[in-house]
Amino acid sequence: MKRRIISILAVCCLMVSMMPAAFATGGNDLQAQIDNTAAGGTVTLTGNVTISTPLTINKAITLDGNGNTLTYDQSGEAIKITTNDNVVIEDMILNAEASNGQGISLYSSSPKVEVNGVTMNVDARGISFKQDGYATNAHLALDNTKIYNSRITDGDYEHKTVIGDTRGISLFDVKSSVIDINNSEIYGFGYTINLAGTLVDGIRDYDGTTVNVTDSKLMGWTAFNVWSSDTTFNITNSYLKGINNSNGPTDGFATIVVNDDIYGYGWGSTKANMFYITGGTITNYRSGSASEQLFRVDDEGITEVNFEIYGRDQHVKIIDGTGDSSSVFYSGYLMTPDGWINYMTQRVHGEGACEVTGYNGQTLPFIPA
């Protein structure tokens, strides 16, 4: 019997040795725990942790906050991800509230990152692509995650936001990738989701990248600030709100901003940005004199917008809360008025799927008069 028990124990020990390690930590040795955990393993916080040096994750790993708080008390990013392998960050509060405090930065060429059940309070940026060159075939997925700008100290994100270059999610030089935002909130940033990159022949080509926003809420100076081309936006049953607290004469903005060929490089032959907006709400608010409109498209030829009913009868609700809009869409930068109207007619579809409410209940047309 004793020999049999010893044999069973030996088998159990062998099985345990083959499993990815799961370390628990609650002190100042978090980076060491990450470094000493085998690829595919889990590091679990057992208490609140404060760090003064960014954590570097260079392999597949799960960083499980276990409901605790990770605080980074310096400038820059709290977490640097340098691997193309799958990384999961979950179940924590992540604070990076010092000047220029940032949450997670992605430095690899094809990152695969899940952020689940995380609340971030950051000064400047939530999640940023910072790789050298292009990030291709990347996948960033947020589920049940909140990214808040900590400069809004009273938490009134419905009516306040930072004006200027702060970013909830910052995409840069991204190609052929997927960004999934599900059941999440991003509040208080100048650019809630920003798409930018290196100009090549005057174009920032995202090469078929898809941004999916589902059952989520985006509120800031703008929900989307788009400098890319060839990008698809699937926005489903979500709430988008543009907020402007500025009196600056050049600080007018909009809930959705698509810059298109704003500088006249000639994008007419490039692939379109495609918006598919299904159900949900697009609205705006301002407390200062700078305007906040609804949907800005700056030039012709590369943006197409499609509205669809969600479920059986939930229309897209478009509500002008500022009185600044003479129509749902505006700008047509560098275009003649007739050219802009023709653009709208050809490239915007599904007006019947929308319920449009002008300021104080007034009528608001889709196309400029």
Side-chain angles (χ1 to χ4, degrees):
M1 177 66 71
K2 183 181 294 184
R3 182 176 298 171
R4 183 179 179 188
I5 292 172
I6 291 172
S7 298
I8 292 171
L9 288 173
V11 171
C12 291
C13 290
L14 178 62
M15 291 176 65
V16 169
S17 68
M18 296 174 65
M19 295 172 62
F23 287 97
T25 185
N28 296 321
D29 58 348
L30 185 53
Q31 184 66 64
Q33 297 283 12
I34 291 171
D35 295 342
N36 292 327
T37 299
T42 298
V43 173
T44 302
L45 273 64
T46 58
N48 297 333
V49 178
T50 297
I51 57 174
S52 298
T53 302
L55 298 176
T56 297
I57 298 176
N58 61 5
K59 58 194 165 189
I61 205 167
T62 295
L63 180 58
D64 182 358
N66 194 29
N68 293 297
T69 298
L70 173 62
T71 299
Y72 176 62
D73 61 7
Q74 301 294 315
S75 178
E77 64 264 302
I79 299 174
K80 301 170 66 172
I81 296 176
T82 62
T83 179
N84 290 335
D85 295 328
N86 294 331
V87 173
V88 178
I89 299 173
E90 63 185 13
D91 192 19
M92 71 169 66
I93 296 172
L94 175 58
N95 292 330
E97 299 177 277
S99 178
N100 194 38
Q102 303 174 36
I104 303 169
S105 294
L106 313 182
Y107 283 94
S108 58
S109 60
S110 185
K112 311 292 189 299
V113 178
E114 297 178 35
V115 183
N116 303 325
V118 173
T119 297
M120 286 188 215
N121 299 293
V122 299
D123 178 76
R125 295 189 181 189
I127 303 174
S128 300
F129 282 74
K130 294 185 179 180
Q131 73 288 337
D132 290 330
Y134 292 99
T136 59
N137 299 311
H139 185 204
L140 171 64
L142 277 64
D143 188 70
N144 191 30
T145 286
K146 302 172 175 61
I147 305 177
Y148 299 149
N149 192 300
S150 59
R151 299 185 199 180
I152 309 302
T153 56
D154 64 359
D156 184 10
Y157 293 107
E158 285 282 352
H159 302 102
K160 296 178 183 177
T161 193
V162 174
I163 305 299
D165 188 6
T166 59
R167 307 178 186 187
I169 297 178
S170 177
L171 308 180
F172 192 88
D173 279 347
V174 173
K175 289 181 176 288
S176 306
S177 297
V178 177
I179 314 299
D180 287 321
I181 301 169
N182 181 61
N183 191 31
S184 294
E185 301 172 354
I186 308 177
Y187 297 165
F189 296 90
Y191 312 135
T192 306
I193 300 176
N194 193 81
L195 297 89
T198 304
L199 281 168
V200 178
D201 296 327
I203 297 172
R204 299 172 177 89
D205 186 356
Y206 267 45
D207 195 21
T209 290
T210 300
V211 179
N212 300 310
V213 178
T214 306
D215 298 326
S216 294
K217 195 169 182 179
L218 311 179
M219 299 193 300
W221 195 23
T222 182
F224 291 95
N225 189 37
V226 181
W227 290 97
S228 64
S229 66
D230 195 9
T231 312
T232 297
F233 300 85
N234 297 310
I235 305 168
T236 304
N237 195 36
S238 294
Y239 184 92
L240 313 181
K241 185 175 185 179
I243 299 168
N244 204 329
N245 306 126
S246 176
N247 294 310
T250 61
D251 284 344
F253 225 25
T255 305
I256 301 174
V257 175
V258 189
N259 294 286
D260 275 6
D261 190 16
I262 190 172
Y263 295 120
Y265 291 114
W267 285 19
S269 62
T270 197
K271 292 182 181 178
N273 291 314
M274 304 291 294
F275 281 79
Y276 297 93
I277 302 175
T278 304
T281 299
I282 300 171
T283 189
N284 52 5
Y285 169 85
R286 68 171 168 88
S287 61
S289 59
S291 67
E292 186 73 14
Q293 301 196 49
L294 291 166
F295 204 135
R296 190 180 95 186
V297 179
D298 278 316
D299 200 4
E300 62 180 319
I302 62 164
T303 292
E304 182 172 330
V305 183
N306 301 271
F307 295 101
E308 299 177 13
I309 293 172
Y310 177 73
R312 296 184 63 182
D313 59 1
Q314 296 183 46
H315 290 64
V316 182
K317 294 180 174 59
I318 302 176
I319 305 167
D320 180 16
T322 68
D324 296 328
S325 300
S326 59
S327 57
V328 172
F329 290 85
Y330 84 104
S331 188
Y333 186 71
L334 299 178
M335 298 177 67
T336 65
D338 288 345
W340 173 238
I341 292 171
N342 182 63
Y343 168 83
M344 292 292 299
T345 301
Q346 299 297 319
R347 307 291 285 181
V348 178
H349 313 284
E351 182 176 350
C354 301
E355 294 178 358
V356 180
T357 303
Y359 187 61
N360 287 337
Q362 299 173 4
T363 300
L364 184 68
F366 256 56
I367 301 174

